[in-house]
Amino acid sequence: MIKKIIKKAEYISSQPTWKTLVFEKSHEYAFIGRSNVGKSSLINALCDKKKLALVSKKPGKTKMLNLFRINDAWNLMDLPGYGYAKASKTDRVGFQEMLSDYFNNRKNLVNVFVLVDPNIPPQKIDIDFINFLGENVVAFAIVYTKTDKSTLNKINQNIQAFERELLKEWEELPPSFRTSANTKDGIEKITSYIDQLNKEVELLKD
Ligand code: GDP
Protein backbone atom coordinates (compact mmCIF):
# COMPACT_ATOMS: atom_id res chain seq x y z
CA MET A 1 0.00 0.00 0.00
CA ILE A 2 1.25 3.44 -0.92
CA LYS A 3 1.39 5.76 2.06
CA LYS A 4 -0.21 9.10 1.33
CA ILE A 5 1.98 11.61 3.12
CA ILE A 6 0.24 14.86 2.22
CA LYS A 7 -3.29 14.60 3.58
CA LYS A 8 -4.17 18.27 3.85
CA ALA A 9 -2.84 21.27 1.92
CA GLU A 10 -4.06 24.83 2.23
CA TYR A 11 -2.98 28.22 0.97
CA ILE A 12 -2.03 30.62 3.75
CA SER A 13 -0.77 33.89 2.23
CA SER A 14 1.54 35.71 -0.19
CA GLN A 15 4.11 38.09 1.28
CA PRO A 16 6.67 40.43 -0.32
CA THR A 17 9.23 39.73 2.42
CA TRP A 18 10.21 36.97 4.86
CA LYS A 19 9.55 39.40 7.73
CA THR A 20 5.78 39.04 7.58
CA LEU A 21 5.67 35.27 7.01
CA VAL A 22 3.84 33.25 9.66
CA PHE A 23 4.46 29.70 10.95
CA GLU A 24 8.11 30.51 11.60
CA LYS A 25 8.54 27.53 13.91
CA SER A 26 7.44 24.83 11.46
CA HIS A 27 9.74 23.02 9.07
CA GLU A 28 9.67 24.69 5.68
CA TYR A 29 10.39 23.31 2.21
CA ALA A 30 10.75 25.76 -0.68
CA PHE A 31 10.25 25.20 -4.42
CA ILE A 32 11.82 27.36 -7.10
CA GLY A 33 12.83 27.26 -10.77
CA ARG A 34 12.71 29.12 -14.05
CA SER A 35 9.25 30.38 -14.96
CA ASN A 36 7.41 27.68 -16.91
CA VAL A 37 9.59 24.86 -15.50
CA GLY A 38 6.47 23.11 -14.19
CA LYS A 39 6.51 24.34 -10.58
CA SER A 40 2.76 24.85 -10.16
CA SER A 41 2.01 21.49 -11.76
CA LEU A 42 4.55 19.79 -9.48
CA ILE A 43 3.14 21.42 -6.32
CA ASN A 44 -0.39 20.46 -7.35
CA ALA A 45 0.75 16.87 -7.98
CA LEU A 46 2.59 16.69 -4.64
CA CYS A 47 -0.47 17.89 -2.77
CA ASP A 48 -2.88 15.96 -5.01
CA LYS A 49 -4.95 19.12 -5.53
CA LYS A 50 -5.58 20.23 -9.08
CA LYS A 51 -5.58 23.97 -8.57
CA LEU A 52 -3.70 24.59 -5.33
CA ALA A 53 -0.72 26.46 -6.80
CA LEU A 54 -2.86 28.51 -9.18
CA VAL A 55 -3.31 30.99 -6.40
CA SER A 56 0.38 31.97 -6.54
CA LYS A 57 0.09 32.54 -10.31
CA LYS A 58 -2.49 35.29 -9.91
CA PRO A 59 -1.40 38.80 -10.91
CA GLY A 60 0.70 40.43 -8.20
CA LYS A 61 1.58 37.12 -6.54
CA THR A 62 4.11 35.79 -9.02
CA LYS A 63 6.84 37.85 -7.36
CA MET A 64 5.85 36.97 -3.81
CA LEU A 65 6.69 34.35 -1.21
CA ASN A 66 3.61 32.10 -1.35
CA LEU A 67 3.08 30.05 1.77
CA PHE A 68 1.09 26.82 1.98
CA ARG A 69 0.41 24.76 5.11
CA ILE A 70 0.64 20.98 4.91
CA ASN A 71 -1.05 18.51 7.29
CA ASP A 72 -1.39 21.37 9.82
CA ALA A 73 2.25 20.60 10.55
CA TRP A 74 4.79 21.92 8.06
CA ASN A 75 5.18 24.63 5.42
CA LEU A 76 5.52 24.49 1.65
CA MET A 77 6.93 27.70 0.19
CA ASP A 78 6.24 28.49 -3.46
CA LEU A 79 9.03 30.93 -4.39
CA PRO A 80 8.78 33.19 -7.44
CA GLY A 81 10.03 31.82 -10.76
CA TYR A 82 13.28 33.32 -12.00
CA GLY A 83 14.42 34.18 -15.50
CA TYR A 84 11.51 36.20 -16.84
CA ALA A 85 12.76 37.48 -20.20
CA LYS A 86 11.07 40.81 -19.66
CA ALA A 87 12.30 41.48 -16.12
CA SER A 88 14.13 44.79 -15.81
CA LYS A 89 17.49 45.07 -14.07
CA THR A 90 15.86 46.75 -11.04
CA ASP A 91 13.37 43.87 -10.84
CA ARG A 92 16.17 41.30 -10.99
CA VAL A 93 18.17 43.00 -8.22
CA GLY A 94 15.03 43.31 -6.04
CA PHE A 95 14.27 39.63 -6.62
CA GLN A 96 17.79 38.52 -5.63
CA GLU A 97 17.66 40.66 -2.51
CA MET A 98 14.26 39.29 -1.49
CA LEU A 99 15.53 35.73 -1.93
CA SER A 100 18.85 36.17 -0.12
CA ASP A 101 16.97 37.87 2.73
CA TYR A 102 14.60 34.92 2.82
CA PHE A 103 17.40 32.31 2.67
CA ASN A 104 19.48 34.07 5.32
CA ASN A 105 16.69 34.79 7.79
CA ARG A 106 14.09 32.06 7.51
CA LYS A 107 15.50 29.85 10.25
CA ASN A 108 12.91 27.10 9.81
CA LEU A 109 13.82 26.53 6.13
CA VAL A 110 14.95 22.90 5.88
CA ASN A 111 15.48 22.38 2.15
CA VAL A 112 15.05 24.08 -1.21
CA PHE A 113 13.92 22.04 -4.21
CA VAL A 114 15.36 23.55 -7.39
CA LEU A 115 13.30 22.56 -10.43
CA VAL A 116 15.21 21.96 -13.66
CA ASP A 117 13.80 21.08 -17.09
CA PRO A 118 15.73 18.10 -18.51
CA ASN A 119 14.03 18.44 -21.90
CA ILE A 120 16.47 21.19 -22.79
CA PRO A 121 20.27 21.46 -22.52
CA PRO A 122 21.76 22.96 -19.31
CA GLN A 123 20.76 26.59 -18.78
CA LYS A 124 23.26 29.02 -17.29
CA ILE A 125 20.54 30.67 -15.21
CA ASP A 126 19.86 27.38 -13.35
CA ILE A 127 23.55 26.76 -12.68
CA ASP A 128 23.98 30.38 -11.52
CA PHE A 129 20.99 30.00 -9.19
CA ILE A 130 22.36 26.79 -7.67
CA ASN A 131 25.72 28.46 -7.13
CA PHE A 132 23.90 31.37 -5.49
CA LEU A 133 22.32 28.87 -3.05
CA GLY A 134 25.81 27.56 -2.33
CA GLU A 135 27.04 31.07 -1.53
CA ASN A 136 24.11 31.45 0.87
CA VAL A 137 24.79 28.00 2.41
CA VAL A 138 21.30 26.68 1.73
CA ALA A 139 20.57 22.93 1.62
CA PHE A 140 18.95 21.94 -1.67
CA ALA A 141 17.95 19.08 -3.95
CA ILE A 142 17.27 19.10 -7.68
CA VAL A 143 13.93 18.10 -9.15
CA TYR A 144 13.97 17.30 -12.86
CA THR A 145 10.49 18.06 -14.23
CA LYS A 146 8.40 16.96 -17.23
CA THR A 147 10.38 13.75 -17.78
CA ASP A 148 7.50 12.36 -19.87
CA LYS A 149 8.00 15.02 -22.53
CA SER A 150 11.11 13.63 -24.33
CA THR A 151 12.70 10.24 -24.92
CA LEU A 152 14.56 8.68 -22.01
CA ASN A 153 17.74 8.97 -24.06
CA LYS A 154 17.37 12.72 -24.46
CA ILE A 155 16.45 13.21 -20.79
CA ASN A 156 19.52 11.18 -19.74
CA GLN A 157 21.78 13.20 -22.03
CA ASN A 158 20.55 16.55 -20.73
CA ILE A 159 20.77 15.44 -17.09
CA GLN A 160 24.31 14.16 -17.60
CA ALA A 161 25.30 17.45 -19.24
CA PHE A 162 23.68 19.39 -16.39
CA GLU A 163 25.52 17.34 -13.77
CA ARG A 164 28.82 17.84 -15.60
CA GLU A 165 28.22 21.60 -15.39
CA LEU A 166 27.45 21.34 -11.67
CA LEU A 167 30.60 19.35 -11.00
CA LYS A 168 32.67 22.27 -12.29
CA GLU A 169 31.72 24.14 -9.09
CA TRP A 170 30.62 21.40 -6.67
CA GLU A 171 32.60 18.49 -5.29
CA GLU A 172 29.58 16.21 -5.16
CA LEU A 173 26.13 16.18 -6.63
CA PRO A 174 23.08 17.07 -4.51
CA PRO A 175 20.17 14.63 -4.12
CA SER A 176 18.03 14.64 -7.24
CA PHE A 177 14.60 13.43 -8.32
CA ARG A 178 13.16 12.71 -11.76
CA THR A 179 9.50 13.64 -11.92
CA SER A 180 6.51 14.13 -14.14
CA ALA A 181 3.40 15.93 -12.95
CA ASN A 182 1.58 14.32 -15.88
CA THR A 183 2.34 10.67 -15.11
CA LYS A 184 3.02 11.31 -11.37
CA ASP A 185 6.39 9.58 -11.72
CA GLY A 186 8.74 10.41 -8.85
CA ILE A 187 6.16 12.51 -6.99
CA GLU A 188 6.02 10.19 -4.01
CA LYS A 189 9.80 10.08 -3.75
CA ILE A 190 9.74 13.80 -2.99
CA THR A 191 7.05 13.57 -0.33
CA SER A 192 8.90 10.61 1.24
CA TYR A 193 12.13 12.62 1.21
CA ILE A 194 10.37 15.50 2.99
CA ASP A 195 8.88 13.04 5.48
CA GLN A 196 12.37 11.67 6.13
CA LEU A 197 13.86 15.17 6.55
CA ASN A 198 11.02 16.14 8.90
CA LYS A 199 11.97 13.19 11.11
CA GLU A 200 15.73 13.83 10.90
CA VAL A 201 15.41 17.51 11.72
CA GLU A 202 13.14 16.64 14.64
CA LEU A 203 15.83 14.30 15.96
CA LEU A 204 18.49 16.98 15.64
CA LYS A 205 16.41 19.29 17.82
CA ASP A 206 16.41 16.92 20.83
P1 GDP B 1 5.36 27.09 -13.72
O1 GDP B 1 5.30 28.36 -14.52
O2 GDP B 1 6.76 26.73 -13.38
O3 GDP B 1 4.44 27.08 -12.53
O4 GDP B 1 4.90 25.91 -14.72
P2 GDP B 1 3.48 25.20 -14.94
O5 GDP B 1 3.22 24.17 -13.90
O6 GDP B 1 2.43 26.24 -15.16
O7 GDP B 1 3.80 24.42 -16.30
C1 GDP B 1 4.26 25.08 -17.46
C2 GDP B 1 3.85 24.28 -18.68
O8 GDP B 1 4.46 22.98 -18.65
C3 GDP B 1 2.34 24.03 -18.76
O9 GDP B 1 1.96 24.11 -20.11
C4 GDP B 1 2.18 22.62 -18.21
O10 GDP B 1 1.05 21.95 -18.74
C5 GDP B 1 3.48 21.96 -18.68
N1 GDP B 1 3.87 20.88 -17.74
C6 GDP B 1 4.01 20.96 -16.41
N2 GDP B 1 4.37 19.78 -15.88
C7 GDP B 1 4.47 18.91 -16.91
C8 GDP B 1 4.80 17.50 -16.99
O11 GDP B 1 5.09 16.79 -16.01
N3 GDP B 1 4.83 16.96 -18.26
C9 GDP B 1 4.54 17.68 -19.37
N4 GDP B 1 4.60 17.06 -20.55
N5 GDP B 1 4.21 18.99 -19.32
C10 GDP B 1 4.16 19.60 -18.11
Side-chain angles (χ1 to χ4, degrees), residues 34-42 57 146 148-149 180-182:
R34 249 174 347 103
S35 47
N36 220 37
V37 71
K39 182 165 53 78
S40 311
S41 307
L42 182 89
K57 284 201 143 185
K146 310 187 198 181
D148 62 289
K149 215 176 141 187
S180 160
N182 276 8

PDB file of all heavy atoms in Angstrom, residues 34-42 57 146 148-149 180-182, ligand 1:
ATOM      1  N   ARG A  34      13.015  28.180 -12.984  1.00  0.00           N
ATOM      2  CA  ARG A  34      12.706  29.123 -14.053  1.00  0.00           C
ATOM      3  C   ARG A  34      11.207  29.158 -14.290  1.00  0.00           C
ATOM      4  O   ARG A  34      10.535  28.136 -14.137  1.00  0.00           O
ATOM      5  CB  ARG A  34      13.387  28.662 -15.352  1.00  0.00           C
ATOM      6  CG  ARG A  34      14.517  29.550 -15.806  1.00  0.00           C
ATOM      7  CD  ARG A  34      15.236  28.973 -16.994  1.00  0.00           C
ATOM      8  NE  ARG A  34      14.954  27.600 -17.299  1.00  0.00           N
ATOM      9  CZ  ARG A  34      14.167  27.202 -18.285  1.00  0.00           C
ATOM     10  NH1 ARG A  34      13.543  28.057 -19.054  1.00  0.00           N
ATOM     11  NH2 ARG A  34      14.013  25.920 -18.521  1.00  0.00           N
ATOM     12  N   SER A  35      10.676  30.324 -14.693  1.00  0.00           N
ATOM     13  CA  SER A  35       9.250  30.376 -14.959  1.00  0.00           C
ATOM     14  C   SER A  35       8.947  29.370 -16.071  1.00  0.00           C
ATOM     15  O   SER A  35       9.762  29.186 -16.982  1.00  0.00           O
ATOM     16  CB  SER A  35       8.830  31.781 -15.374  1.00  0.00           C
ATOM     17  OG  SER A  35       9.701  32.284 -16.337  1.00  0.00           O
ATOM     18  N   ASN A  36       7.828  28.686 -15.949  1.00  0.00           N
ATOM     19  CA  ASN A  36       7.408  27.676 -16.912  1.00  0.00           C
ATOM     20  C   ASN A  36       8.082  26.299 -16.763  1.00  0.00           C
ATOM     21  O   ASN A  36       7.892  25.413 -17.588  1.00  0.00           O
ATOM     22  CB  ASN A  36       7.619  28.196 -18.349  1.00  0.00           C
ATOM     23  CG  ASN A  36       6.474  27.787 -19.237  1.00  0.00           C
ATOM     24  OD1 ASN A  36       5.338  27.767 -18.796  1.00  0.00           O
ATOM     25  ND2 ASN A  36       6.775  27.431 -20.484  1.00  0.00           N
ATOM     26  N   VAL A  37       8.867  26.133 -15.698  1.00  0.00           N
ATOM     27  CA  VAL A  37       9.589  24.860 -15.504  1.00  0.00           C
ATOM     28  C   VAL A  37       8.641  23.729 -15.093  1.00  0.00           C
ATOM     29  O   VAL A  37       8.984  22.547 -15.176  1.00  0.00           O
ATOM     30  CB  VAL A  37      10.735  25.035 -14.468  1.00  0.00           C
ATOM     31  CG1 VAL A  37      10.175  25.221 -13.058  1.00  0.00           C
ATOM     32  CG2 VAL A  37      11.724  23.885 -14.510  1.00  0.00           C
ATOM     33  N   GLY A  38       7.431  24.132 -14.640  1.00  0.00           N
ATOM     34  CA  GLY A  38       6.471  23.113 -14.192  1.00  0.00           C
ATOM     35  C   GLY A  38       6.278  23.123 -12.685  1.00  0.00           C
ATOM     36  O   GLY A  38       5.832  22.137 -12.104  1.00  0.00           O
ATOM     37  N   LYS A  39       6.572  24.262 -12.052  1.00  0.00           N
ATOM     38  CA  LYS A  39       6.511  24.340 -10.581  1.00  0.00           C
ATOM     39  C   LYS A  39       5.083  24.193 -10.063  1.00  0.00           C
ATOM     40  O   LYS A  39       4.849  23.410  -9.136  1.00  0.00           O
ATOM     41  CB  LYS A  39       7.142  25.664 -10.120  1.00  0.00           C
ATOM     42  CG  LYS A  39       7.179  25.845  -8.599  1.00  0.00           C
ATOM     43  CD  LYS A  39       8.108  26.963  -8.185  1.00  0.00           C
ATOM     44  CE  LYS A  39       7.849  28.266  -8.880  1.00  0.00           C
ATOM     45  NZ  LYS A  39       6.710  29.034  -8.359  1.00  0.00           N
ATOM     46  N   SER A  40       4.147  24.943 -10.659  1.00  0.00           N
ATOM     47  CA  SER A  40       2.762  24.853 -10.160  1.00  0.00           C
ATOM     48  C   SER A  40       2.221  23.441 -10.344  1.00  0.00           C
ATOM     49  O   SER A  40       1.582  22.891  -9.439  1.00  0.00           O
ATOM     50  CB  SER A  40       1.839  25.814 -10.915  1.00  0.00           C
ATOM     51  OG  SER A  40       2.408  27.068 -10.963  1.00  0.00           O
ATOM     52  N   SER A  41       2.500  22.853 -11.507  1.00  0.00           N
ATOM     53  CA  SER A  41       2.011  21.493 -11.761  1.00  0.00           C
ATOM     54  C   SER A  41       2.608  20.514 -10.750  1.00  0.00           C
ATOM     55  O   SER A  41       1.913  19.610 -10.271  1.00  0.00           O
ATOM     56  CB  SER A  41       2.386  21.042 -13.174  1.00  0.00           C
ATOM     57  OG  SER A  41       1.960  21.982 -14.112  1.00  0.00           O
ATOM     58  N   LEU A  42       3.897  20.695 -10.437  1.00  0.00           N
ATOM     59  CA  LEU A  42       4.546  19.790  -9.479  1.00  0.00           C
ATOM     60  C   LEU A  42       3.924  19.948  -8.089  1.00  0.00           C
ATOM     61  O   LEU A  42       3.609  18.945  -7.428  1.00  0.00           O
ATOM     62  CB  LEU A  42       6.058  20.060  -9.411  1.00  0.00           C
ATOM     63  CG  LEU A  42       6.784  19.121  -8.457  1.00  0.00           C
ATOM     64  CD1 LEU A  42       7.226  17.849  -9.172  1.00  0.00           C
ATOM     65  CD2 LEU A  42       7.983  19.780  -7.804  1.00  0.00           C
ATOM     66  N   LYS A  57      -0.132  32.093  -8.925  1.00  0.00           N
ATOM     67  CA  LYS A  57       0.092  32.544 -10.310  1.00  0.00           C
ATOM     68  C   LYS A  57      -0.767  33.762 -10.628  1.00  0.00           C
ATOM     69  O   LYS A  57      -0.712  34.307 -11.708  1.00  0.00           O
ATOM     70  CB  LYS A  57      -0.267  31.424 -11.289  1.00  0.00           C
ATOM     71  CG  LYS A  57       0.776  30.349 -11.351  1.00  0.00           C
ATOM     72  CD  LYS A  57       0.663  29.575 -12.629  1.00  0.00           C
ATOM     73  CE  LYS A  57       2.021  29.197 -13.151  1.00  0.00           C
ATOM     74  NZ  LYS A  57       1.954  28.551 -14.437  1.00  0.00           N
ATOM     75  N   LYS A 146       8.927  17.300 -15.895  1.00  0.00           N
ATOM     76  CA  LYS A 146       8.398  16.963 -17.230  1.00  0.00           C
ATOM     77  C   LYS A 146       9.182  15.849 -17.930  1.00  0.00           C
ATOM     78  O   LYS A 146       9.463  15.930 -19.118  1.00  0.00           O
ATOM     79  CB  LYS A 146       8.405  18.201 -18.137  1.00  0.00           C
ATOM     80  CG  LYS A 146       7.781  19.456 -17.534  1.00  0.00           C
ATOM     81  CD  LYS A 146       7.691  20.566 -18.568  1.00  0.00           C
ATOM     82  CE  LYS A 146       7.489  21.923 -17.946  1.00  0.00           C
ATOM     83  NZ  LYS A 146       7.375  23.020 -18.878  1.00  0.00           N
ATOM     84  N   ASP A 148       8.302  13.109 -18.874  1.00  0.00           N
ATOM     85  CA  ASP A 148       7.498  12.355 -19.865  1.00  0.00           C
ATOM     86  C   ASP A 148       7.538  13.009 -21.246  1.00  0.00           C
ATOM     87  O   ASP A 148       7.036  12.454 -22.222  1.00  0.00           O
ATOM     88  CB  ASP A 148       6.036  12.311 -19.398  1.00  0.00           C
ATOM     89  CG  ASP A 148       5.442  13.708 -19.316  1.00  0.00           C
ATOM     90  OD1 ASP A 148       5.830  14.475 -18.411  1.00  0.00           O
ATOM     91  OD2 ASP A 148       4.620  14.059 -20.163  1.00  0.00           O
ATOM     92  N   LYS A 149       8.147  14.209 -21.316  1.00  0.00           N
ATOM     93  CA  LYS A 149       8.002  15.017 -22.529  1.00  0.00           C
ATOM     94  C   LYS A 149       8.984  14.644 -23.651  1.00  0.00           C
ATOM     95  O   LYS A 149       8.724  14.933 -24.815  1.00  0.00           O
ATOM     96  CB  LYS A 149       8.183  16.487 -22.144  1.00  0.00           C
ATOM     97  CG  LYS A 149       7.332  17.453 -22.908  1.00  0.00           C
ATOM     98  CD  LYS A 149       7.533  18.856 -22.372  1.00  0.00           C
ATOM     99  CE  LYS A 149       7.547  19.857 -23.501  1.00  0.00           C
ATOM    100  NZ  LYS A 149       7.894  21.197 -23.032  1.00  0.00           N
ATOM    101  N   SER A 180       7.453  13.647 -13.133  1.00  0.00           N
ATOM    102  CA  SER A 180       6.512  14.129 -14.138  1.00  0.00           C
ATOM    103  C   SER A 180       5.192  14.387 -13.427  1.00  0.00           C
ATOM    104  O   SER A 180       4.667  13.496 -12.757  1.00  0.00           O
ATOM    105  CB  SER A 180       6.316  13.080 -15.229  1.00  0.00           C
ATOM    106  OG  SER A 180       5.103  13.348 -15.912  1.00  0.00           O
ATOM    107  N   ALA A 181       4.694  15.609 -13.558  1.00  0.00           N
ATOM    108  CA  ALA A 181       3.397  15.934 -12.952  1.00  0.00           C
ATOM    109  C   ALA A 181       2.290  15.247 -13.753  1.00  0.00           C
ATOM    110  O   ALA A 181       1.221  14.952 -13.222  1.00  0.00           O
ATOM    111  CB  ALA A 181       3.188  17.437 -12.925  1.00  0.00           C
ATOM    112  N   ASN A 182       2.574  14.971 -15.022  1.00  0.00           N
ATOM    113  CA  ASN A 182       1.577  14.317 -15.875  1.00  0.00           C
ATOM    114  C   ASN A 182       1.371  12.857 -15.499  1.00  0.00           C
ATOM    115  O   ASN A 182       0.244  12.415 -15.315  1.00  0.00           O
ATOM    116  CB  ASN A 182       2.003  14.389 -17.345  1.00  0.00           C
ATOM    117  CG  ASN A 182       1.610  15.707 -17.978  1.00  0.00           C
ATOM    118  OD1 ASN A 182       1.166  16.614 -17.284  1.00  0.00           O
ATOM    119  ND2 ASN A 182       1.772  15.821 -19.295  1.00  0.00           N
TER     120      ASN A 182
HETATM  121  P1  GDP B   1       5.360  27.091 -13.719  1.00  0.00           P
HETATM  122  O1  GDP B   1       5.303  28.357 -14.517  1.00  0.00           O
HETATM  123  O2  GDP B   1       6.764  26.730 -13.376  1.00  0.00           O
HETATM  124  O3  GDP B   1       4.443  27.076 -12.528  1.00  0.00           O
HETATM  125  O4  GDP B   1       4.897  25.913 -14.716  1.00  0.00           O
HETATM  126  P2  GDP B   1       3.483  25.198 -14.940  1.00  0.00           P
HETATM  127  O5  GDP B   1       3.224  24.172 -13.900  1.00  0.00           O
HETATM  128  O6  GDP B   1       2.434  26.239 -15.162  1.00  0.00           O
HETATM  129  O7  GDP B   1       3.796  24.423 -16.304  1.00  0.00           O
HETATM  130  C1  GDP B   1       4.264  25.077 -17.458  1.00  0.00           C
HETATM  131  C2  GDP B   1       3.848  24.281 -18.682  1.00  0.00           C
HETATM  132  O8  GDP B   1       4.463  22.980 -18.647  1.00  0.00           O
HETATM  133  C3  GDP B   1       2.338  24.030 -18.759  1.00  0.00           C
HETATM  134  O9  GDP B   1       1.959  24.105 -20.105  1.00  0.00           O
HETATM  135  C4  GDP B   1       2.176  22.618 -18.208  1.00  0.00           C
HETATM  136  O10 GDP B   1       1.053  21.954 -18.743  1.00  0.00           O
HETATM  137  C5  GDP B   1       3.479  21.957 -18.679  1.00  0.00           C
HETATM  138  N1  GDP B   1       3.875  20.878 -17.744  1.00  0.00           N
HETATM  139  C6  GDP B   1       4.008  20.963 -16.411  1.00  0.00           C
HETATM  140  N2  GDP B   1       4.374  19.777 -15.881  1.00  0.00           N
HETATM  141  C7  GDP B   1       4.467  18.912 -16.911  1.00  0.00           C
HETATM  142  C8  GDP B   1       4.800  17.505 -16.993  1.00  0.00           C
HETATM  143  O11 GDP B   1       5.088  16.793 -16.013  1.00  0.00           O
HETATM  144  N3  GDP B   1       4.830  16.962 -18.261  1.00  0.00           N
HETATM  145  C9  GDP B   1       4.542  17.684 -19.374  1.00  0.00           C
HETATM  146  N4  GDP B   1       4.605  17.060 -20.554  1.00  0.00           N
HETATM  147  N5  GDP B   1       4.208  18.988 -19.319  1.00  0.00           N
HETATM  148  C10 GDP B   1       4.160  19.605 -18.109  1.00  0.00           C
END
